[in-house]
Amino acid sequence: MQANRDRLRQIVDEKSLIIGQDMTLSAGLSSSFYFDCKKITLNGEGLALLADVLLEEIDKFPERPSAIGGLTLGADFMVAAVVMRAHQIGHPTINGSIVRKEPKQHGTRSHIENEMPRGTRIVVVDDVITTGGSTAKACEQLLKGGYEIVGILALVDREAGGVENLRREYGCNVHSIFKKSDFPRIAAG
């Protein structure tokens, strides 16, 4: 699987990483580099590789989750890809849930799409972690829904304290596939 990780890192570097222009992050901070991860999750090869690598990471957790979920829009494609890939390869069933930013205003009026029974063990995913704020929003809604968070996974950790914040707040394993320091072009500026 190292070949999958290496190729995924290359795709993130080539397609997702934007350097040299001021960008505003979801946390409100300004940065001279940005990871546009939709360029990965809306790319066939990138999404397939990401699903395989996420499943590999999920299998490392001491408690096996039966669900994967996160905050829309960063987690949507990741969740769908993992659910589908797990089914395709005969992996133990993993179902998906997506946390809305606001409750649905019609139908079920749910804050969580595909809500599962209380006690469902879930791994929360996000495309990028900076301060951890977006991921924490998902975690809070999932906890209110009765889920048990067994881990948090991100595609990229910007190494801005978010992983530590989430680990401290939720007391679970928090990992990223890649870190800012895995991309030498950032340091080169």
Side-chain angles (χ1 to χ4, degrees):
M1 284 297 221
Q2 187 60 45
N4 284 352
R5 262 178 214 275
D6 292 344
R7 177 63 182 142
L8 182 58
R9 193 200 66 74
Q10 180 184 10
I11 295 171
V12 170
D13 190 41
E14 291 172 359
K15 296 186 181 297
S16 169
L17 179 56
I18 300 168
I19 296 176
Q21 59 188 42
D22 273 344
M23 305 288 274
T24 302
L25 308 175
S26 65
L29 306 170
S30 181
S31 177
S32 62
F33 69 95
Y34 184 78
F35 290 96
D36 184 358
C37 290
K38 304 312 173 286
K39 303 280 187 193
I40 305 306
T41 60
L42 291 171
N43 170 278
E45 181 185 11
L47 189 58
L49 291 167
L50 180 57
D52 285 338
V53 172
L54 285 171
L55 277 171
E56 180 183 326
E57 289 296 319
I58 287 168
D59 287 342
K60 293 177 185 175
F61 284 115
E63 295 181 69
R64 175 163 301 287
S66 57
I68 183 172
L71 187 67
T72 195
L73 186 69
D76 293 9
F77 307 110
M78 296 169 71
V79 168
V82 168
V83 168
M84 184 178 78
R85 186 68 179 136
H87 172 75
Q88 287 174 333
I89 64 173
H91 189 277
T93 301
I94 296 179
N95 293 300
S97 289
I98 297 294
V99 177
R100 291 174 163 272
K101 292 181 181 173
E102 295 180 13
K104 194 174 181 177
Q105 297 302 308
H106 60 284
T108 62
R109 300 189 186 275
S110 179
H111 215 121
I112 301 172
E113 291 297 332
N114 197 33
E115 195 163 355
M116 292 179 215
R118 297 186 80 69
T120 296
R121 289 186 315 275
I122 192 166
V123 61
V124 179
V125 294
D126 208 341
D127 53 0
V128 178
I129 293 177
T130 302
T131 63
S134 294
T135 310
K137 288 178 188 175
C139 291
E140 289 305 312
Q141 287 304 316
L142 291 165
L143 288 171
K144 285 180 187 175
Y147 290 78
E148 178 189 342
I149 299 170
V150 298
I152 298 171
L153 285 172
L155 175 54
V156 179
D157 170 13
R158 289 180 54 94
E159 297 180 293
V163 166
E164 294 79 13
N165 292 342
L166 293 166
R167 193 174 288 133
R168 188 173 41 255
E169 183 68 27
Y170 299 103
C172 64
N173 290 314
V174 183
H175 299 285
S176 65
I177 297 169
F178 304 114
K179 297 177 182 176
K180 173 184 93 170
S181 55
D182 292 325
F183 299 92
R185 286 195 310 128
I186 295 171

